[in-house]
Amino acid sequence: MPLDFRIFTEPQQGATYDDLLAIAKATEDLGFDAFFRSDHYLSMGSASGLPGPTDAWTTLAGLARETSRIRLGTLVTSATFRHPGVLGIQVAQVDQMSGGRVELGLGAGWFEEEHKAYGIPFPSKRFGRLEEQLALITGMWDTPAGETFTFKGEHYELIDCPALPKPAQSQLPVIVGGNGPKRTPALAAQFGHEYNAAFPEIDSIRSRFTVIRDACEELGRSPDDLVYSAALVVCVGRDEAEFRRRAAAIGREPDELRKHGVAGTPAEAAEVIGRAAEQGCERFYLQVLDLTDLDHLDLIAKEVIA
């Protein structure tokens, strides 16, 4: 299959909806396959976060009506943020609004400070909640129209849920990510349509994917049912000076970016992508950190990916 390239943003660091709309439209116009965003409510590091956070699914609902081709989704929504019954409704509705272009990345949640800042409960044990949310949401979507869905777990209970609305897609893709050696692979094998490795060392990608493939085989599922992807920071310049200017703009060291991301000149960035593809990566989420630099996307599309 051809490689798939997606633009991945971190709006909690400081972006308005209009900023995200501009990036999403450029993503579509330049031929990228998808626009994804994180799901956070508090900035990280030294970023001011001004003018404040945007809600992931409110954003995607707007973009669903203002784009026409690209896929849209989260990498990843935190299971602590929304009741899964409500999240199932929200995602299905945005999928309808987009004409069937939405994907759901769902994770356990990890950033305790944002929970404290906005009064969101942050339980010490979260993985069981994630597992139940995956089962509950996919169970709602898979329930035939006209039937009801009942679910009883340790954390959530639904009784005679009408399991509506349904997504526009007959099978809305679910993305599972994480680095755990046992529980994450099991969830990816049971519920995932895609496994995502978040910011891996390039030479470790194959071994990460092998663990997921083994989990699929243990479950009796073909490992080839899943898409295997990686999220990597991207920072590219036409020459060394432009690369270093862009690195400074996002507060990162050039050497560190070259070590851990898709970075440097276009030729260097393409070489990293090639190495990752040789490790089995089929889909790339390119993390763009300066959301005002649309020329950066143009360069990536025309001189790296092309």
Side-chain angles (χ1 to χ4, degrees), residues 58-79:
T58 303
T59 297
L60 294 175
L63 297 180
R65 308 302 286 183
E66 299 196 73
T67 59
S68 61
R69 179 187 59 80
I70 50 174
R71 308 286 295 175
L72 301 166
T74 53
L75 205 65
V76 292
T77 282
S78 173

Side-chain angles (χ1 to χ4, degrees), residues 104-107 127 130-131 134-135 138 171-197 208-229:
L104 170 64
L106 190 61
F127 207 91
L130 171 61
E131 184 172 10
L134 287 165
T138 57
Q171 195 168 63
L172 191 149
V174 172
I175 304 164
V176 176
N179 303 326
K182 292 185 178 180
R183 298 186 74 180
T184 296
L187 288 188
Q190 184 175 359
F191 298 107
H193 300 90
E194 175 181 337
Y195 168 73
N196 177 260
R208 286 204 196 185
F209 291 166
T210 296
V211 173
I212 306 301
R213 297 180 75 89
D214 289 346
C216 288
E217 290 181 348
E218 289 176 14
L219 196 67
R221 181 181 182 185
S222 170
D224 294 334
D225 284 350
L226 272 69
V227 174
Y228 296 86
S229 68

